[in-house]
């Protein structure tokens, strides 16, 4: 943890005693999660498919995702689900820090990923971001960037939509609802290797659309980095 962050968290804890974002237990000021919830990241190394980022039993590589590889930190189930909700409700950024740190470690452990050029978060519609205070994907990406030293570019992709929640839509509707993501005509990403970061990977349609856009501007490789990915039974 960087010194500036330590000071921030120490002072914040005096006003609002630090809580685990997943279970709301009190935790020391210098922790992001409680010991029990921290174990949500302790999954067998072959839990997620390295091609699509889904749990291996619900791999959708045969549908040919627009991204090339994927990493994921946790399953979208309790207690991680509560952690993601705490971000959506802007209760604290703890869960983003925790996920960003874990994804950052995964990148550092892989020399190929560590040589990537950019980390790009899946964007959030401006109006929605104003209401929510921050974009969880961007906070996770920022933490990954600070852990790995790979530059963050949060201004490349834009979400010009109304902010209709993807999770309220069916798989078909989700795929059709990604037309509002945009990238500037002038963006030149020729040869770039990009880590594309989001908080939850479900059907992959958001990651796909964003990867397509990055590649349309010349990106050579896109690896999806998902903080969480939904288990098979939830992908209806
Ligand atoms: Zn906890
Ligand atoms: Zn797969």
């Amino acid at each position: 943890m960087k010194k500036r962050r330590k000071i921030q968290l120490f002072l914040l804890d005096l006003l609002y005693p630090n809580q685990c974002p997943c279970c709301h237990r009190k935790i020391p000021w210098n922790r992001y999660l409680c010991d029990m919830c921290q174990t949500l990241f302790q999954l067998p190394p072959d839990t997620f498919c390295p091609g699509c980022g889904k749990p291996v039993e619900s791999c959708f590589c045969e549908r040919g995702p627009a991204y090339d590889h994927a990493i994921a930190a946790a399953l979208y189930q309790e207690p991680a689900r509560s952690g993601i909700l705490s971000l959506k409700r802007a209760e604290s950024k703890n869960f983003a820090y925790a996920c960003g740190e874990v994804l950052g470690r995964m990148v550092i452990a892989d020399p190929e990923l560590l040589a990537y050029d950019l980390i790009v978060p899946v964007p959030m519609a401006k109006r929605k971001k104003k209401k929510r205070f921050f974009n969880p994907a961007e906070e996770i990406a920022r933490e990954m960037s600070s852990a790995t030293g790979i530059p963050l570019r949060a201004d490349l992709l834009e979400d010009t939509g109304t902010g209709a929640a993807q999770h309220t839509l069916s798989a078909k509707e989700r795929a059709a609802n990604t037309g509002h993501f945009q990238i500037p005509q002038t963006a030149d990403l020729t040869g770039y290797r990009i880590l594309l970061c989001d908080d939850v990977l479900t059907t992959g349609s958001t990651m796909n659309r964003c990867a397509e856009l990055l590649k349309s501007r010349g990106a050579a490789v896109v690896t999806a980095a998902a903080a969480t990915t939904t288990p098979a039974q939830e992908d209806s």
Side-chain angles (χ1 to χ4, degrees), residues 48-56 58-62 65:
F48 301 109
C49 168
C52 62
K54 295 300 291 181
V56 282
S58 52
C59 161
F60 56 58
C61 284
E62 58 178 27

Side-chain angles (χ1 to χ4, degrees), residues 21-23 33 78-88 92 95-96:
C22 303
C23 68
L33 304 183
E78 288 307 331
R81 190 202 309 258
S82 294
I84 293 289
L85 279 178
S86 80
L87 293 176
K88 296 204 189 286
S92 84
F95 197 67

Side-chain angles (χ1 to χ4, degrees), residues 183-185 187 189 209-219 222:
I183 193 163
Q185 290 288 344
L189 301 173
R209 180 65 190 142
C210 292
E212 269 169 22
L213 289 172
L214 295 169
K215 291 200 169 183
S216 75
R217 296 292 176 271
V222 176

